[in-house]
Amino acid sequence: MKIKADNYTIGDLAKFYGVSTDTIRLYDKKGVLLSQKNDENNYRIYSRDDMIMMDYIVKLRMLEIPLTDIRKITGDFSIAETREYCLHKIEQIEEEPVSYTHLTLPTKLEV
């Protein structure tokens, strides 16, 4: 996607970040990524600032932070509070046992 100044569509964001348009609509509904409406066709439009916010949201979701907490982080938290929250979340992730249930063992071992 070519970088432009403004007026990204929901499809532009979805394609750029590799998520579905439904995901972006959910972010809008939960108040995490608010869109503007195009007066002509009532479609959602996003600015370059919204793209920066979406990048931030994607990174927070990679830390498995729930949307309710992301809304707090992006709205109410200071930088120090955000840092502490994220460091605590990283510690939690590091302490979680690793699941190997997705791995399959061969039925016959070759020696």
Side-chain angles (χ1 to χ4, degrees), residues 9-10 14-16 24 28 57 62 64 68 70-71 75-76 90-91 94 100-101 104-105 107-108:
T9 66
I10 193 169
K15 185 176 179 181
F16 189 79
I24 296 173
D28 192 357
I57 293 166
M62 289 172 69
E64 300 176 4
T68 52
I70 291 175
R71 192 172 69 195
D76 300 335
I90 289 168
E91 286 175 11
E94 289 174 345
Y100 295 103
T101 57
T104 58
L105 294 174
T107 55
K108 193 179 200 182

Side-chain angles (χ1 to χ4, degrees), residues 43-89:
Y43 287 1
R44 290 176 173 87
I45 54 173
Y46 298 91
S47 68
R48 188 174 193 135
D49 288 343
D50 295 327
M51 289 282 289
I52 293 167
M53 179 60 77
M54 182 65 182
D55 195 61
Y56 189 45
I57 293 166
V58 167
K59 286 176 174 58
L60 292 172
R61 292 295 295 143
M62 289 172 69
L63 292 174
E64 300 176 4
I65 297 175
L67 292 179
T68 52
D69 289 352
I70 291 175
R71 192 172 69 195
K72 291 176 193 171
I73 288 169
T74 59
D76 300 335
F77 281 19
S78 68
I79 292 172
E81 290 170 319
T82 300
R83 181 181 184 278
E84 286 302 312
Y85 181 95
C86 290
L87 288 174
H88 177 71
K89 189 65 178 172

Side-chain angles (χ1 to χ4, degrees), residues 22-36:
D22 288 338
T23 297
I24 296 173
R25 286 185 190 95
L26 177 65
Y27 293 170
D28 192 357
K29 181 179 177 183
K30 297 288 184 179
V32 176
L33 181 70
L34 301 175
S35 65
Q36 301 295 318

